[in-house]
DNA sequence: AGAATAAAAGACCTTTTAGTCTTATATTTG
DNA sequence: CAAATATAAGACTAAAAGGTCTTTTATTCT
């Protein structure tokens, strides 16, 4: 559904979000230890999210990643869009160049409705919402 | 959502299904011309589906692919499972090794419900259902 | 039987995704 | 300022997905 990078990104953001609630910055090592994600790859994803303004970072000692925005203002949709783009929310289920309701593929009606559910779910869930389901054991394997 | 191969497979099956209703076999060339899919790649997918019993084929002149089963007995779920496996229907949205409701990831409740919708949609739509939405222009670019 | 036809099989190539590693740059602290 | 620390950037490698091509095998038709 989502790419590996996107899944890692979401998991990492929950770790950073939780720390940010306590006004703590988190280094990439700690993020990846807790989120169980590969370090260099996750770092790259974080840097992309910083560039896109979802995340903030500070270099140097006592630096790390943090979130300055309201955790309720960052939706799952925003995160997925930033990492994977909007494809999963708009593409035709049978791979036609454009999903076009006026020229629907045989699956369009049924598929578009599921896709719409996914989109609504991602739009209505914020990073803050995810934090309530985040316990220390969650990403342990 | 689905792999390229899976999208091609579904499209190809609609072409074959329609022909099978008229007791016609279809060669790979015609299938791909109508479904707008790459020929060799689609052939490989079709052969996989034949092995899995979803599809039948006959070699030699006047041969081709056809479906001997009831078109209402082949669900979209069957097709997706045969090509992509069950991952999309069961995997954790945040990429954890197992989606486990007793140890849910922060997205579990919301994600599992969308995933369930997708699964239900695929289980309840048969190849025959898809045929009603298949017109000659559908897969034209 | 022989020629033609069409799928089957699998080796092969290309592109994208996933992931690592090294070097540079910014920031803090002594 | 110097040393230590942490992110930034980008080159690089590995694996998976996507796709092609050639050879073989089965079937039909003359
Ligand atoms: S045209 Fe295929 S999902 Fe809309
Ligand atoms: S545990 Fe993540 S979706 Fe179920």
């Amino acid at each position: 559904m989502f790419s590996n990078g996107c899944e890692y990104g979401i998991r990492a953001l929950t770790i950073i979000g939780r720390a940010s609630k306590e006004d703590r910055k988190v280094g990439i090592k700690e993020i990846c230890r807790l989120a169980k994600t590969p370090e260099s790859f996750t770092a790259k994803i974080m840097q992309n999210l910083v560039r896109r303004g979802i995340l903030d970072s500070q270099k140097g000692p006592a630096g790390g990643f943090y979130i300055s925005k309201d955790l309720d203002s960052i939706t799952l949709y925003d995160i997925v869009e930033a990492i994977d783009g909007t494809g999963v929310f708009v593409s035709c289920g049978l791979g036609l160049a454009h999903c076009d309701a006026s020229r629907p593929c045989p699956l369009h009606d049924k598929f578009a409705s599921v896709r719409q559910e996914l989109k609504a779910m991602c739009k209505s869930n914020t990073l803050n919402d995810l934090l309530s389901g985040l316990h220390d054991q969650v990403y342990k394997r």
Side-chain angles (χ1 to χ4, degrees), chain A:
Chain A
M1 190 83 77
F2 307 129
S3 70
N4 275 10
C6 191
E7 294 172 347
Y8 296 162
I10 297 167
R11 271 150 60 182
L13 281 174
T14 61
I15 301 296
I16 301 169
R18 183 175 57 180
S20 286
K21 277 198 160 178
E22 309 166 355
D23 282 307
R24 252 190 322 115
K25 294 178 185 115
V26 215
I28 189 68
K29 279 203 188 63
E30 188 182 348
I31 293 169
C32 295
R33 186 174 50 80
L34 295 172
K36 293 282 176 303
T37 63
E39 205 174 298
S40 294
F41 190 36
T42 307
K44 193 185 271 188
I45 295 159
M46 294 301 100
Q47 283 149 30
N48 178 34
L49 292 177
V50 168
R51 255 181 261 116
R52 289 173 179 270
I54 289 180
L55 198 56
D56 301 273
S57 68
Q58 182 159 30
K59 292 181 177 182
F65 294 92
Y66 62 101
I67 299 174
S68 55
K69 304 170 73 167
D70 184 350
L71 294 181
D72 272 314
S73 76
I74 302 174
T75 66
L76 187 55
Y77 183 94
D78 296 332
I79 302 169
V80 172
E81 180 189 36
I83 302 175
D84 281 351
T86 58
V88 72
F89 302 120
V90 306
S91 296
C92 168
L94 296 190
L96 302 188
H98 303 290
C99 170
D100 179 356
S102 75
R103 235 198 194 190
C105 73
L107 198 59
H108 176 86
D109 288 8
K110 308 294 177 59
F111 184 80
S113 123
V114 170
R115 197 182 54 191
Q116 175 54 35
E117 282 260 340
L118 175 70
K119 184 173 170 179
M121 186 274 273
C122 287
K123 286 254 186 199
S124 68
N125 274 273
T126 70
L127 188 47
N128 199 34
D129 295 330
L130 293 187
L131 295 187
S132 36
L134 176 65
H135 311 99
D136 253 333
Q137 301 295 54
V138 165
Y139 300 132
K140 290 253 159 52
R141 78 159 275 83

